[in-house]
Amino acid sequence: MSLGPPPRRLEVTADQVRQLVAEQFPQWAGLPVRPVANGGWDNRTFHLGDAMSARLPSAAEYALAVEKEQRWLPVLAPRLPLPIPVPLAEGKPGADYPFPWSILPWLDGEQARADRIADPVAFASDLAGFLAALQDVDPVGAPGPGKHNWFRGGTLLTYDALVRHRLDDLTGEIWRAALDARWDGVPRWFHGDVAAGNLLLHNGKLTAVIDFGSCGTGDPACDVAIAWTLLTADGRRVFRERLAIDDATWARGRGWALWKTLVTLARARGREAAEAQRVLDEIRTEYRGS
Protein backbone atom coordinates (compact mmCIF):
# COMPACT_ATOMS: atom_id res chain seq x y z
CA MET A 1 0.00 0.00 0.00
CA SER A 2 1.35 3.43 -0.91
CA LEU A 3 1.43 6.22 1.63
CA GLY A 4 1.45 8.75 -1.21
CA PRO A 5 3.16 12.15 -1.12
CA PRO A 6 3.63 13.96 2.20
CA PRO A 7 0.55 15.90 3.33
CA ARG A 8 0.48 19.58 2.40
CA ARG A 9 -0.10 21.19 5.76
CA LEU A 10 -1.68 24.56 6.21
CA GLU A 11 -1.60 27.06 9.03
CA VAL A 12 -4.72 28.11 10.92
CA THR A 13 -5.02 31.36 12.86
CA ALA A 14 -6.97 32.17 16.00
CA ASP A 15 -8.91 34.79 13.99
CA GLN A 16 -10.07 32.07 11.59
CA VAL A 17 -11.23 29.91 14.49
CA ARG A 18 -13.11 32.84 16.05
CA GLN A 19 -14.87 33.44 12.73
CA LEU A 20 -15.73 29.76 12.27
CA VAL A 21 -17.15 29.52 15.78
CA ALA A 22 -19.11 32.77 15.45
CA GLU A 23 -20.65 31.68 12.12
CA GLN A 24 -21.43 28.08 13.00
CA PHE A 25 -21.80 27.98 16.79
CA PRO A 26 -23.01 31.42 17.93
CA GLN A 27 -23.70 30.09 21.43
CA TRP A 28 -19.91 29.96 21.90
CA ALA A 29 -19.02 33.09 19.93
CA GLY A 30 -18.05 35.08 23.01
CA LEU A 31 -15.50 32.59 24.29
CA PRO A 32 -11.81 33.48 23.99
CA VAL A 33 -9.74 31.54 21.44
CA ARG A 34 -6.02 30.95 21.88
CA PRO A 35 -3.60 28.41 20.43
CA VAL A 36 -2.71 25.36 22.51
CA ALA A 37 0.97 25.13 23.34
CA ASN A 38 2.39 22.16 21.40
CA GLY A 39 -0.94 21.92 19.62
CA GLY A 40 -0.12 18.89 17.51
CA TRP A 41 1.15 17.85 14.09
CA ASP A 42 -1.92 16.41 12.37
CA ASN A 43 -4.23 19.08 13.77
CA ARG A 44 -4.08 22.72 14.82
CA THR A 45 -5.64 22.91 18.27
CA PHE A 46 -7.02 25.96 20.06
CA HIS A 47 -8.47 26.57 23.50
CA LEU A 48 -12.11 27.61 23.23
CA GLY A 49 -12.83 29.17 26.59
CA ASP A 50 -11.59 27.15 29.54
CA ALA A 51 -13.56 23.95 29.01
CA MET A 52 -13.38 23.23 25.26
CA SER A 53 -10.98 23.02 22.36
CA ALA A 54 -11.29 23.49 18.61
CA ARG A 55 -9.36 20.88 16.63
CA LEU A 56 -8.73 21.61 12.97
CA PRO A 57 -6.93 19.14 10.67
CA SER A 58 -3.77 20.58 9.13
CA ALA A 59 -4.10 18.72 5.80
CA ALA A 60 -6.68 16.93 3.68
CA GLU A 61 -5.37 13.50 4.70
CA TYR A 62 -5.83 14.28 8.41
CA ALA A 63 -9.33 15.61 7.78
CA LEU A 64 -10.36 12.04 6.90
CA ALA A 65 -10.35 11.27 10.64
CA VAL A 66 -12.99 13.84 11.59
CA GLU A 67 -16.04 11.83 10.50
CA LYS A 68 -14.59 8.73 12.17
CA GLU A 69 -14.04 10.51 15.48
CA GLN A 70 -17.50 12.08 15.39
CA ARG A 71 -19.09 8.66 14.72
CA TRP A 72 -17.08 6.37 16.96
CA LEU A 73 -15.73 8.23 20.00
CA PRO A 74 -19.23 8.47 21.54
CA VAL A 75 -19.47 4.69 21.09
CA LEU A 76 -16.09 3.99 22.66
CA ALA A 77 -16.25 6.40 25.60
CA PRO A 78 -18.74 4.58 27.87
CA ARG A 79 -16.85 1.31 27.41
CA LEU A 80 -13.46 2.66 28.51
CA PRO A 81 -12.07 3.07 32.03
CA LEU A 82 -10.52 6.50 31.40
CA PRO A 83 -11.93 9.70 29.86
CA ILE A 84 -11.46 10.32 26.14
CA PRO A 85 -12.38 13.48 24.18
CA VAL A 86 -15.91 12.88 22.88
CA PRO A 87 -16.81 15.53 20.24
CA LEU A 88 -19.31 18.20 21.24
CA ALA A 89 -19.89 19.51 17.72
CA GLU A 90 -18.72 19.10 14.13
CA GLY A 91 -17.72 22.19 12.18
CA LYS A 92 -17.81 22.74 8.43
CA PRO A 93 -15.41 24.50 6.06
CA GLY A 94 -15.51 28.28 6.17
CA ALA A 95 -13.41 31.41 6.81
CA ASP A 96 -10.94 30.23 4.14
CA TYR A 97 -10.49 26.96 6.03
CA PRO A 98 -11.31 24.00 3.72
CA PHE A 99 -11.94 20.97 5.98
CA PRO A 100 -14.42 19.65 8.56
CA TRP A 101 -13.29 20.17 12.15
CA SER A 102 -14.36 19.43 15.70
CA ILE A 103 -15.13 21.05 19.02
CA LEU A 104 -14.12 18.83 21.93
CA PRO A 105 -14.11 19.02 25.70
CA TRP A 106 -10.78 20.10 27.16
CA LEU A 107 -9.35 17.25 29.23
CA ASP A 108 -6.97 18.68 31.77
CA GLY A 109 -3.66 17.09 32.68
CA GLU A 110 0.01 17.16 31.80
CA GLN A 111 1.49 15.07 29.03
CA ALA A 112 3.13 11.86 30.18
CA ARG A 113 6.88 11.82 30.53
CA ALA A 114 9.07 9.32 32.34
CA ASP A 115 10.06 11.76 35.06
CA ARG A 116 6.43 12.78 35.67
CA ILE A 117 5.05 9.26 36.19
CA ALA A 118 4.70 8.58 39.91
CA ASP A 119 4.63 4.78 39.75
CA PRO A 120 5.87 3.34 36.41
CA VAL A 121 4.48 -0.14 37.08
CA ALA A 122 1.02 1.14 38.08
CA PHE A 123 1.05 3.44 35.04
CA ALA A 124 1.85 0.49 32.76
CA SER A 125 -0.91 -1.57 34.33
CA ASP A 126 -3.47 1.24 33.99
CA LEU A 127 -2.53 1.78 30.36
CA ALA A 128 -2.79 -1.94 29.62
CA GLY A 129 -6.22 -1.99 31.29
CA PHE A 130 -7.36 0.86 29.05
CA LEU A 131 -6.11 -0.86 25.89
CA ALA A 132 -7.63 -4.18 26.94
CA ALA A 133 -11.02 -2.49 27.33
CA LEU A 134 -10.60 -0.79 23.95
CA GLN A 135 -9.77 -4.09 22.26
CA ASP A 136 -12.92 -5.64 23.76
CA VAL A 137 -15.26 -3.15 22.05
CA ASP A 138 -17.22 -4.75 19.20
CA PRO A 139 -15.38 -3.91 15.94
CA VAL A 140 -18.33 -4.57 13.61
CA GLY A 141 -18.76 -1.68 11.18
CA ALA A 142 -15.73 0.20 12.45
CA PRO A 143 -13.01 1.50 10.08
CA GLY A 144 -10.09 -0.75 9.21
CA PRO A 145 -6.61 0.37 8.17
CA GLY A 146 -6.52 3.11 5.56
CA LYS A 147 -5.33 6.59 4.67
CA HIS A 148 -7.45 7.97 7.52
CA ASN A 149 -4.94 6.48 10.02
CA TRP A 150 -1.88 5.93 7.79
CA PHE A 151 -2.54 2.20 7.73
CA ARG A 152 -2.24 1.60 11.46
CA GLY A 153 -3.67 -1.83 12.18
CA GLY A 154 -2.30 -3.13 8.91
CA THR A 155 1.00 -4.68 7.89
CA LEU A 156 4.38 -3.18 8.70
CA LEU A 157 5.31 -3.85 5.07
CA THR A 158 3.68 -0.49 4.32
CA TYR A 159 6.69 1.15 5.98
CA ASP A 160 9.36 -1.26 4.77
CA ALA A 161 10.84 1.05 2.13
CA LEU A 162 11.07 3.93 4.60
CA VAL A 163 12.88 1.83 7.18
CA ARG A 164 15.08 -0.55 5.24
CA HIS A 165 17.89 1.86 4.33
CA ARG A 166 18.24 2.89 7.99
CA LEU A 167 18.82 -0.62 9.34
CA ASP A 168 22.07 -2.05 10.67
CA ASP A 169 22.63 -5.78 11.27
CA LEU A 170 20.81 -5.95 14.62
CA THR A 171 17.92 -3.61 13.81
CA GLY A 172 17.57 -5.39 10.47
CA GLU A 173 17.13 -8.66 12.35
CA ILE A 174 14.54 -7.04 14.66
CA TRP A 175 12.66 -5.62 11.65
CA ARG A 176 12.64 -8.95 9.78
CA ALA A 177 11.33 -10.71 12.90
CA ALA A 178 8.50 -8.17 13.07
CA LEU A 179 7.61 -8.65 9.39
CA ASP A 180 7.63 -12.43 9.81
CA ALA A 181 5.42 -12.42 12.93
CA ARG A 182 1.91 -13.27 11.78
CA TRP A 183 -1.32 -11.69 12.97
CA ASP A 184 -4.27 -13.99 13.73
CA GLY A 185 -6.54 -11.90 11.49
CA VAL A 186 -9.10 -11.08 14.21
CA PRO A 187 -9.76 -7.32 14.06
CA ARG A 188 -9.66 -5.43 17.34
CA TRP A 189 -9.95 -1.76 18.20
CA PHE A 190 -6.70 0.15 18.61
CA HIS A 191 -5.84 3.76 19.43
CA GLY A 192 -3.12 3.98 16.79
CA ASP A 193 -0.94 6.63 18.42
CA VAL A 194 -0.32 5.60 22.02
CA ALA A 195 2.45 8.11 22.66
CA ALA A 196 3.53 10.18 25.63
CA GLY A 197 1.84 13.32 24.30
CA ASN A 198 -1.54 11.58 24.11
CA LEU A 199 -1.47 10.21 27.67
CA LEU A 200 -2.48 12.70 30.35
CA LEU A 201 -1.36 12.62 33.96
CA HIS A 202 -2.65 14.14 37.18
CA ASN A 203 -0.34 13.86 40.18
CA GLY A 204 1.73 11.39 38.18
CA LYS A 205 -1.18 9.01 37.50
CA LEU A 206 -2.74 8.21 34.12
CA THR A 207 -6.09 10.03 33.97
CA ALA A 208 -7.07 10.41 30.29
CA VAL A 209 -6.17 9.34 26.75
CA ILE A 210 -6.56 11.81 23.88
CA ASP A 211 -6.12 12.11 20.07
CA PHE A 212 -7.92 9.20 18.45
CA GLY A 213 -7.24 10.42 14.91
CA SER A 214 -5.31 7.21 14.10
CA CYS A 215 -7.80 4.82 15.71
CA GLY A 216 -9.44 1.96 13.89
CA THR A 217 -9.80 -1.80 13.88
CA GLY A 218 -7.31 -4.41 12.76
CA ASP A 219 -4.05 -5.62 14.25
CA PRO A 220 -3.61 -3.85 17.63
CA ALA A 221 0.18 -4.41 17.65
CA CYS A 222 0.74 -0.73 16.78
CA ASP A 223 -0.42 0.17 20.31
CA VAL A 224 2.26 -2.10 21.80
CA ALA A 225 5.07 0.25 20.67
CA ILE A 226 4.61 2.30 23.86
CA ALA A 227 6.22 -0.59 25.78
CA TRP A 228 9.61 0.56 24.48
CA THR A 229 9.04 4.26 23.87
CA LEU A 230 7.87 5.15 27.40
CA LEU A 231 7.60 2.22 29.82
CA THR A 232 10.33 0.96 32.14
CA ALA A 233 11.53 -2.64 31.97
CA ASP A 234 9.31 -3.58 34.94
CA GLY A 235 6.42 -1.65 33.47
CA ARG A 236 6.91 -3.38 30.13
CA ARG A 237 6.66 -6.77 31.80
CA VAL A 238 3.42 -5.85 33.62
CA PHE A 239 2.01 -4.27 30.46
CA ARG A 240 2.64 -7.46 28.48
CA GLU A 241 1.22 -9.70 31.18
CA ARG A 242 -1.98 -7.70 31.67
CA LEU A 243 -2.66 -7.53 27.94
CA ALA A 244 -1.70 -11.21 27.51
CA ILE A 245 0.42 -10.34 24.47
CA ASP A 246 1.72 -13.37 22.57
CA ASP A 247 5.19 -13.58 21.05
CA ALA A 248 4.07 -12.67 17.53
CA THR A 249 2.16 -9.56 18.62
CA TRP A 250 5.08 -8.55 20.83
CA ALA A 251 7.45 -8.85 17.85
CA ARG A 252 5.16 -6.75 15.64
CA GLY A 253 4.80 -4.17 18.39
CA ARG A 254 8.58 -4.03 18.67
CA GLY A 255 8.66 -3.44 14.91
CA TRP A 256 6.27 -0.50 15.23
CA ALA A 257 8.49 0.95 17.97
CA LEU A 258 11.56 0.48 15.78
CA TRP A 259 9.92 2.20 12.80
CA LYS A 260 8.82 5.13 14.94
CA THR A 261 12.24 5.51 16.52
CA LEU A 262 14.21 5.31 13.28
CA VAL A 263 11.95 7.91 11.65
CA THR A 264 12.41 10.19 14.67
CA LEU A 265 16.19 9.78 14.58
CA ALA A 266 16.25 10.67 10.89
CA ARG A 267 14.72 14.10 11.49
CA ALA A 268 15.43 14.90 15.14
CA ARG A 269 18.11 17.02 16.73
CA GLY A 270 19.31 17.67 20.26
CA ARG A 271 17.19 16.39 23.12
CA GLU A 272 14.64 14.64 20.87
CA ALA A 273 17.40 12.78 19.06
CA ALA A 274 19.00 11.75 22.35
CA GLU A 275 15.65 10.38 23.59
CA ALA A 276 15.12 8.48 20.32
CA GLN A 277 18.59 6.98 20.62
CA ARG A 278 17.77 5.89 24.18
CA VAL A 279 14.64 4.14 22.91
CA LEU A 280 16.58 2.46 20.12
CA ASP A 281 19.12 1.17 22.64
CA GLU A 282 16.22 -0.10 24.79
CA ILE A 283 14.72 -1.95 21.81
CA ARG A 284 18.06 -3.57 21.03
CA THR A 285 18.69 -4.58 24.64
CA GLU A 286 15.20 -6.04 25.12
CA TYR A 287 15.44 -7.96 21.84
CA ARG A 288 18.79 -9.50 22.78
CA GLY A 289 17.30 -10.65 26.09
CA SER A 290 14.09 -12.04 24.63
Side-chain angles (χ1 to χ4, degrees):
M1 298 175 189
S2 173
L3 293 172
R8 298 180 61 181
R9 293 179 175 81
L10 52 78
E11 292 301 322
V12 184
T13 68
D15 285 340
Q16 279 179 293
V17 177
R18 291 187 193 98
Q19 186 177 341
L20 286 165
V21 171
E23 291 174 353
Q24 299 181 33
F25 305 104
Q27 68 272 32
W28 296 323
L31 296 175
V33 174
R34 65 189 192 281
V36 170
N38 301 318
W41 180 258
D42 299 356
N43 295 270
R44 311 303 186 197
T45 307
F46 296 79
H47 291 282
L48 180 58
D50 294 327
M52 294 184 293
S53 65
R55 190 165 182 261
L56 294 90
S58 63
E61 292 86 346
Y62 303 132
L64 297 174
V66 172
E67 181 181 357
K68 172 183 65 180
E69 292 177 302
Q70 293 281 336
R71 166 68 179 87
W72 288 101
L73 294 190
V75 175
L76 296 175
R79 294 165 171 81
L80 299 175
L82 295 171
I84 66 173
V86 177
L88 300 171
E90 181 176 357
K92 300 176 181 178
D96 293 325
Y97 176 77
F99 309 127
W101 53 285
S102 297
I103 293 179
L104 304 159
W106 179 258
L107 298 181
D108 210 5
E110 59 180 358
Q111 294 180 337
R113 207 172 62 194
D115 61 348
R116 292 173 175 168
I117 296 171
D119 184 336
V121 171
F123 174 88
S125 180
D126 290 344
L127 179 57
F130 177 88
L131 294 177
L134 178 61
Q135 292 179 21
D136 280 344
V137 178
D138 188 347
V140 172
K147 201 63 173 285
H148 67 93
N149 65 0
W150 300 99
F151 300 98
R152 302 295 201 281
T155 173
L156 280 164
L157 283 169
T158 302
Y159 295 92
D160 189 47
L162 295 175
V163 169
R164 188 168 292 279
H165 67 284
R166 299 190 176 107
L167 299 172
D168 57 28
D169 288 345
L170 179 57
T171 54
E173 182 179 335
I174 295 170
W175 183 248
R176 287 191 297 275
L179 294 180
D180 290 342
R182 297 305 172 201
W183 171 45
D184 63 10
V186 178
R188 298 174 179 86
W189 271 101
F190 56 84
H191 178 277
D193 192 15
V194 182
N198 294 329
L199 306 173
L200 301 185
L201 306 176
H202 182 67
N203 292 331
K205 180 179 174 61
L206 181 64
T207 54
V209 179
I210 61 173
D211 194 349
F212 280 71
S214 297
C215 75
T217 59
D219 178 6
C222 53
D223 284 349
V224 177
I226 193 69
W228 292 269
T229 59
L230 183 61
L231 303 185
T232 63
D234 287 341
R236 188 159 52 238
R237 175 182 53 79
V238 169
F239 180 82
R240 182 172 185 178
E241 288 175 355
R242 181 156 187 192
L243 272 175
I245 299 171
D246 61 25
D247 289 345
T249 304
W250 194 248
R252 296 193 306 279
R254 190 191 290 118
W256 281 102
L258 179 62
W259 160 74
K260 194 171 199 176
T261 304
L262 291 175
V263 168
T264 300
L265 275 172
R267 67 173 186 235
R269 298 290 184 274
R271 186 173 181 175
E272 187 181 15
E275 174 59 18
Q277 185 61 54
R278 182 200 66 77
V279 173
L280 183 58
D281 292 343
E282 187 77 14
I283 292 169
R284 287 168 163 158
T285 299
E286 187 274 338
Y287 178 76
R288 286 192 187 104
S290 63

